[in-house]
Coordinates of all heavy atoms in Angstrom, one line a residue:
V1 N -3.1 -1.4 29.1 CA -1.9 -1.0 28.3 C -2.2 -1.5 26.9 O -2.5 -2.7 26.6 CB -0.6 -1.7 28.8 CG1 0.6 -1.3 27.9 CG2 -0.4 -1.2 30.3
L2 N -2.0 -0.6 25.9 CA -2.2 -0.9 24.5 C -0.9 -0.7 23.8 O -0.2 0.3 23.9 CB -3.3 0.0 23.9 CG -3.5 -0.2 22.4 CD1 -4.0 -1.6 22.1 CD2 -4.5 0.9 21.9
V3 N -0.5 -1.7 23.0 CA 0.7 -1.7 22.2 C 0.3 -1.6 20.7 O -0.4 -2.5 20.2 CB 1.6 -2.9 22.4 CG1 2.9 -2.9 21.5 CG2 2.0 -3.0 23.9
S4 N 0.8 -0.6 20.0 CA 0.5 -0.4 18.6 C 1.8 -0.4 17.8 O 2.8 0.2 18.2 CB -0.3 0.9 18.4 OG -1.5 1.0 19.1
V5 N 1.7 -1.1 16.7 CA 2.9 -1.2 15.8 C 2.5 -0.7 14.4 O 1.5 -1.2 13.8 CB 3.5 -2.6 15.7 CG1 4.7 -2.6 14.9 CG2 3.7 -3.2 17.1
A6 N 3.2 0.3 13.9 CA 2.8 0.9 12.6 C 4.1 1.1 11.8 O 5.2 1.1 12.3 CB 2.1 2.2 12.8
R7 N 3.9 1.4 10.5 CA 5.0 1.7 9.6 C 5.0 3.2 9.3 O 3.9 3.6 8.8 CB 5.0 0.8 8.4 CG 6.2 1.0 7.5 CD 6.1 0.0 6.3 NE 7.3 -0.1 5.5 CZ 7.5 -0.9 4.5 NH1 6.6 -1.8 4.2 NH2 8.7 -0.9 3.9
A8 N 6.0 3.9 9.5 CA 6.1 5.3 9.1 C 7.0 5.5 8.0 O 8.2 5.4 8.2 CB 6.5 6.2 10.4
R9 N 6.5 5.9 6.8 CA 7.3 6.0 5.6 C 7.2 7.5 5.1 O 6.1 8.0 5.0 CB 6.9 5.1 4.5 CG 7.4 3.7 4.7 CD 7.2 2.8 3.5 NE 5.8 2.4 3.4 CZ 5.4 1.5 2.5 NH1 6.2 1.0 1.6 NH2 4.1 1.2 2.4
T10 N 8.4 8.0 4.7 CA 8.5 9.3 4.1 C 9.4 9.1 2.9 O 9.8 8.0 2.6 CB 9.0 10.4 5.0 OG1 10.4 10.0 5.3 CG2 8.2 10.5 6.3
E11 N 9.6 10.3 2.2 CA 10.5 10.2 1.0 C 11.9 9.8 1.3 O 12.6 9.3 0.5 CB 10.4 11.5 0.3 CG 9.1 11.9 -0.3 CD 9.1 13.2 -1.0 OE1 10.2 13.9 -1.0 OE2 8.1 13.6 -1.6
T12 N 12.3 10.1 2.6 CA 13.7 9.9 2.9 C 13.9 8.8 4.0 O 15.1 8.5 4.3 CB 14.3 11.2 3.5 OG1 13.5 11.7 4.6 CG2 14.3 12.3 2.4
S13 N 12.9 8.3 4.6 CA 13.0 7.3 5.7 C 11.9 6.3 5.6 O 10.8 6.5 5.1 CB 13.1 8.0 7.0 OG 11.8 8.6 7.3
D14 N 12.2 5.1 6.2 CA 11.2 4.1 6.4 C 11.5 3.5 7.8 O 12.6 2.9 8.0 CB 11.4 3.0 5.3 CG 10.3 2.0 5.3 OD1 9.4 2.1 6.2 OD2 10.4 1.0 4.6
R15 N 10.5 3.6 8.7 CA 10.8 3.2 10.1 C 9.6 2.5 10.6 O 8.4 2.6 10.1 CB 11.0 4.5 10.9 CG 12.1 5.3 10.4 CD 12.3 6.7 11.2 NE 12.9 6.5 12.5 CZ 14.2 6.4 12.7 NH1 15.0 6.5 11.6 NH2 14.7 6.3 13.9
I16 N 9.9 1.6 11.6 CA 8.8 0.9 12.4 C 8.6 1.6 13.7 O 9.6 1.9 14.4 CB 9.3 -0.6 12.6 CG1 9.5 -1.3 11.3 CG2 8.2 -1.3 13.4 CD1 8.3 -1.4 10.4
C17 N 7.4 2.0 14.0 CA 7.0 2.8 15.2 C 6.3 1.9 16.2 O 5.2 1.4 15.8 CB 6.2 4.0 14.7 SG 5.7 5.0 16.1
F18 N 6.8 1.7 17.4 CA 6.1 1.0 18.5 C 5.6 2.1 19.4 O 6.4 2.9 19.9 CB 7.1 0.1 19.2 CG 7.7 -1.0 18.4 CD1 8.9 -0.7 17.6 CD2 7.1 -2.2 18.3 CE1 9.4 -1.8 16.9 CE2 7.7 -3.3 17.6 CZ 8.8 -3.0 16.8
T19 N 4.3 2.0 19.7 CA 3.7 2.9 20.7 C 3.1 2.2 21.8 O 2.3 1.3 21.6 CB 2.6 3.8 19.9 OG1 3.2 4.4 18.8 CG2 2.0 4.8 20.9
I20 N 3.5 2.5 23.0 CA 2.9 1.9 24.2 C 2.2 2.9 25.0 O 2.7 3.9 25.6 CB 4.1 1.3 25.1 CG1 4.8 0.1 24.3 CG2 3.5 0.7 26.4 CD1 5.9 0.6 23.5
T21 N 0.8 2.7 25.1 CA 0.0 3.7 25.8 C -0.6 3.0 27.0 O -1.1 1.9 26.9 CB -1.2 4.1 24.8 OG1 -0.6 4.6 23.6 CG2 -2.0 5.2 25.4
D22 N -0.6 3.7 28.1 CA -1.2 3.2 29.4 C -2.1 4.2 30.0 O -2.2 5.4 29.6 CB -0.1 2.8 30.4 CG 0.7 4.0 30.8 OD1 0.1 4.9 31.5 OD2 2.0 4.1 30.6
T23 N -2.9 3.7 30.9 CA -3.8 4.6 31.7 C -3.4 4.8 33.1 O -4.2 4.9 34.0 CB -5.2 4.0 31.6 OG1 -5.2 2.6 32.2 CG2 -5.8 3.8 30.2
G24 N -2.1 4.9 33.3 CA -1.5 5.0 34.6 C -1.5 6.4 35.1 O -2.3 7.3 34.6
P25 N -0.7 6.8 36.1 CA -0.8 8.1 36.8 C -0.3 9.2 35.9 O -0.5 10.4 36.3 CB 0.0 7.9 38.0 CG 1.0 6.8 37.7 CD 0.3 5.9 36.8
G26 N 0.5 8.9 34.9 CA 1.1 10.0 34.0 C 2.3 10.6 34.7 O 2.8 10.2 35.7
L27 N 2.9 11.6 34.0 CA 4.1 12.2 34.4 C 4.0 13.7 34.4 O 3.3 14.3 33.6 CB 5.3 11.8 33.4 CG 5.6 10.3 33.4 CD1 6.6 10.1 32.2 CD2 6.3 9.8 34.6
R28 N 4.8 14.3 35.3 CA 4.9 15.8 35.2 C 5.8 16.1 34.1 O 6.7 15.4 33.7 CB 5.4 16.3 36.6 CG 4.4 16.1 37.7 CD 5.1 16.5 39.0 NE 6.3 15.8 39.3 CZ 7.1 16.0 40.4 NH1 6.7 16.9 41.2 NH2 8.2 15.2 40.5
E29 N 5.7 17.4 33.6 CA 6.5 17.8 32.5 C 8.0 17.8 32.8 O 8.8 17.4 32.0 CB 6.1 19.2 32.0 CG 6.8 19.7 30.8 CD 6.2 21.0 30.3 OE1 5.2 21.5 30.9 OE2 6.8 21.6 29.3
E30 N 8.4 18.1 34.0 CA 9.8 18.2 34.4 C 10.4 16.8 34.6 O 11.6 16.6 34.6 CB 10.0 19.0 35.7 CG 9.2 18.5 36.9 CD 7.8 19.1 37.0 OE1 7.3 19.6 36.0 OE2 7.3 19.2 38.2
D31 N 9.5 15.7 34.6 CA 10.0 14.4 34.8 C 10.2 13.6 33.5 O 10.8 12.6 33.5 CB 9.0 13.6 35.7 CG 9.0 14.1 37.1 OD1 10.0 14.7 37.6 OD2 7.9 13.9 37.8

């Protein structure tokens, strides 16, 4: 599991973005 923290800035917003990526079984689109 990898946790990434980044800053996403635009002309109208400033946000903190947390991304949690895993190598698990994944999900079906309907789920």
Side-chain angles (χ1 to χ4, degrees):
V1 177
L2 176 64
V3 179
S4 302
V5 185
R7 185 176 190 177
R9 279 190 287 189
T10 64
E11 294 181 356
T12 58
S13 66
D14 187 3
R15 305 172 77 82
I16 301 299
C17 178
F18 298 86
T19 304
I20 296 89
T21 306
D22 64 62
T23 57
L27 297 169
R28 295 176 299 179
E29 186 173 353
E30 59 268 25
D31 293 332

